[in-house]
Amino acid sequence: MTFRPNRRLWISTIAILLATALGALAGYLTGRHTVQNAAEAVLQQDATPLSNTIHSLVVESHDILAKANALQTPTCSDAEIAQLRLLLYHSVNFREIGRIRDGKILCSAVFGKDHLPQAQFTATYHYSDGTTVFRDMAPYVVSGTPVFIRQRGNFFAVESPELSVHIHEMRKTREVFSSGATSLTSTAPLGRSKTLPGATIDHETAGRIGDNLFGTVCTSGSIGLSDSVHGQVDCATSFGSLSAALHAQRSLLALYAFRGAVPCGLTSALVLLLYWRRRSMPQQLIKAIRADRLYFVYQPIVDLSSGHIVAAETLARWKDDDGLQVGPDIFIPLAEERGLALEVARLALRHTLHDLGDTLRSDDSDFRVHINLTASDLADPQLLPMLEDSLTKAGVSPHKLVLELTESATARHSVAIEAVHRLRERGHSVQIDDFGTGYSSLAYLKDLAVDAIKIDKAFTQSIGTDSVTGIILPQILTLAAGLGLLVIAEGIEIPEQAAYFASFDLPVMGQGWLYGKPQCPGEFLSAIAAQDEQRVAVPIENNATTIGVPDHVPQHQDALQLRSAGDG
Ligand SMILES: Nc1nc2c(ncn2[C@@H]2O[C@H](COP(=O)(O)O[C@H]3[C@@H](O)[C@H](n4cnc5c(=O)[nH]c(N)nc54)O[C@@H]3COP(=O)(O)O)[C@@H](O)[C@H]2O)c(=O)[nH]1
């Protein structure tokens, strides 16, 4: 299915917008959660003093009224009034205490028994623990402030008006709830009631029910504060509205949403870009191969004993339709999948013969080129005719062409053995590339009958380390020598690595950035030309320092302290 660019643009735009919106939503929800937690914490903090105040009031009311009811003195005697005054003196929250019967004061600490006001108390509500509450009763009412009077048994106690004002003030911004096992009945300051199903009050809990936030601290024996509460209130619960908190923090929420949206938008754009690139890559590659739009670079291979460039490896390069470089490790397998591997090999050979043909045709030089083949190339009956045809047309001898097979390419043993045999029969050299990374045992190497092994760069990079690869490297070199195989060391980047290989009494070639990165044809030919000029200019016995081998590369084992197992 081929996507037209504008359709792709539409899909991408929608997907990016969607991802951005989802990111914003996720960010907003995180912000909302944070704001909610913060608001709940504040409410929790708010609820605590209210609850504590109520708790101390209730505890003291129980205490003072219990003590009064326990007095053994005769009713309203001077001794009893004296005892009541003493209780009042020690009280924190009460301003009056007295005897009551049928809603009438019999005597009290403040009025004694002789100058009693004419007052009739009417109960506002009763609690299950036997406490009755009266509100705003003369003569105790203080204008503008609620006054609460509690009665238990034969005695009443009047709360301090300051305390009532304090609680009243706290209650103005809060709601106080009666508690049930699984529900809360809220009685707002306005007297409004609501049921909040599903809420369980625990000690010091905070939470949210619908849009309401609550922070609650439950204390045993607390009393109800609300005008219309029936039953005992166990918890002082402070409420706020989540929407109000969210509204107050809207700039913070916007920031959270932004912080969620931006990375999601960018990531989705990147993912889509990669996806479209990947999706359209095969089509682009097929077109590029057919239109001969791959290009090829050449990396020098040097003889480590002389330092001369003796060969070049042809490496394919490709820029996709967006001008972005795609690595051969990505597009070569893709070409193989699409049955185009041999086309790539054909292009590689054609470009190489075109770019380096003169050097390859020269009878004076042993210069050779290395071309990579894939597993499917080996099985392709067109391979040999293609090679023969191209070389014949270019007038280049088959022995100038070295074919590199990765270890994985030789995994199908019978196919590989047969192909290697035929290639060598035609005069080509064959070598195993990336040796040591996988499939070929040294015994298999013997059956494969290749000419050379190219030691994978992982081994080169392990030189001087204690890694396993570093330890087995000398054994590979020794066994290769035993099998009469030429060795090419890949990935030489520093002089110490070159010196390590040169120190073995073996014909070892080297390839790596130390000698040159893959170069375009012009650059590579200039390097060869410079080397040839130097060879002519420098007397034969002094030509160790040549193009491709920096002066500082030591040539002998004693030039370096080797730490690998091979140096013992
Ligand atoms: N079938 C084909 N395979 C091809 C072709 N062109 C390349 N390839 C294979 O792709 C793999 C990746 O190659 P590339 O990215 O080109 O990397 C090569 C060198 O650039 C790199 N190299 C060389 N020297 C050094 C070094 O000192 N350090 C370092 N880190 N990297 C270095 O190694 C790659 C050469 O590898 P090899 O072929 O194993 O010698 C790679 O497997 C190519 O074979 C193609 O046309 N056809």
Side-chain angles (χ1 to χ4, degrees), residues 296 299 313-317 328-329 332 344 348 372-374 377 404 406 433-434 454 456-457 461 490-493 511-514 516 518:
F296 295 86
Q299 186 172 29
E313 180 179 2
T314 302
L315 294 162
R317 296 289 180 262
D329 42 350
I332 295 291
V344 177
N372 290 284
L373 293 182
T374 64
D377 291 333
E404 294 193 11
T406 56
D433 197 3
D434 302 334
K454 193 188 248 190
D456 189 67
K457 39 187 169 301
Q461 275 147 21
E490 188 186 57
I492 298 180
E493 292 179 358
Q511 180 182 354
W513 295 348
L514 182 67

Side-chain angles (χ1 to χ4, degrees), residues 16-28 253-269:
I16 291 168
L17 287 177
L18 216 65
T20 309
L22 283 175
L25 183 68
Y28 171 79
L253 287 172
L255 186 70
Y256 267 98
F258 180 75
R259 276 168 51 178
V262 170
C264 280
L266 289 179
T267 311
S268 63

Side-chain angles (χ1 to χ4, degrees), residues 242-389:
L242 177 59
S243 46
L246 294 176
H247 185 73
Q249 296 292 340
R250 57 193 181 283
S251 50
L252 183 71
L253 287 172
L255 186 70
Y256 267 98
F258 180 75
R259 276 168 51 178
V262 170
C264 280
L266 289 179
T267 311
S268 63
L270 195 71
V271 167
L272 277 167
L273 188 73
L274 293 175
Y275 172 77
W276 291 127
R277 272 195 69 197
R278 189 119 202 134
R279 194 184 161 92
S280 62
M281 204 179 266
Q283 278 79 27
Q284 289 188 31
L285 179 65
I286 292 167
K287 272 199 241 158
I289 292 171
R290 291 200 176 134
D292 193 9
R293 275 193 279 110
L294 298 190
Y295 64 99
F296 295 86
V297 288
Y298 303 95
Q299 186 172 29
I301 296 173
V302 303
D303 178 350
L304 287 185
S305 63
S306 67
H308 290 140
I309 299 174
V310 291
E313 180 179 2
T314 302
L315 294 162
R317 296 289 180 262
W318 175 47
K319 280 184 186 164
D320 69 8
D321 291 356
D322 299 323
L324 297 169
Q325 192 87 44
V326 183
D329 42 350
I330 293 175
F331 73 78
I332 295 291
L334 210 56
E336 203 176 356
E337 259 172 44
R338 303 282 156 149
L340 287 168
L342 194 67
E343 271 318 296
V344 177
R346 191 196 305 275
L347 288 177
L349 186 57
R350 203 174 78 207
H351 279 259
T352 307
L353 293 172
H354 173 266
D355 295 336
L356 310 180
D358 289 343
T359 315
L360 289 167
R361 275 185 289 270
S362 164
D363 291 333
D364 306 339
S365 119
D366 278 338
F367 181 78
R368 302 201 287 180
V369 282
H370 293 221
I371 302 271
N372 290 284
L373 293 182
T374 64
S376 51
D377 291 333
L378 286 191
D380 196 322
Q382 293 302 310
L383 175 67
L384 291 175
M386 183 276 283
L387 296 178
E388 191 174 349
D389 188 43

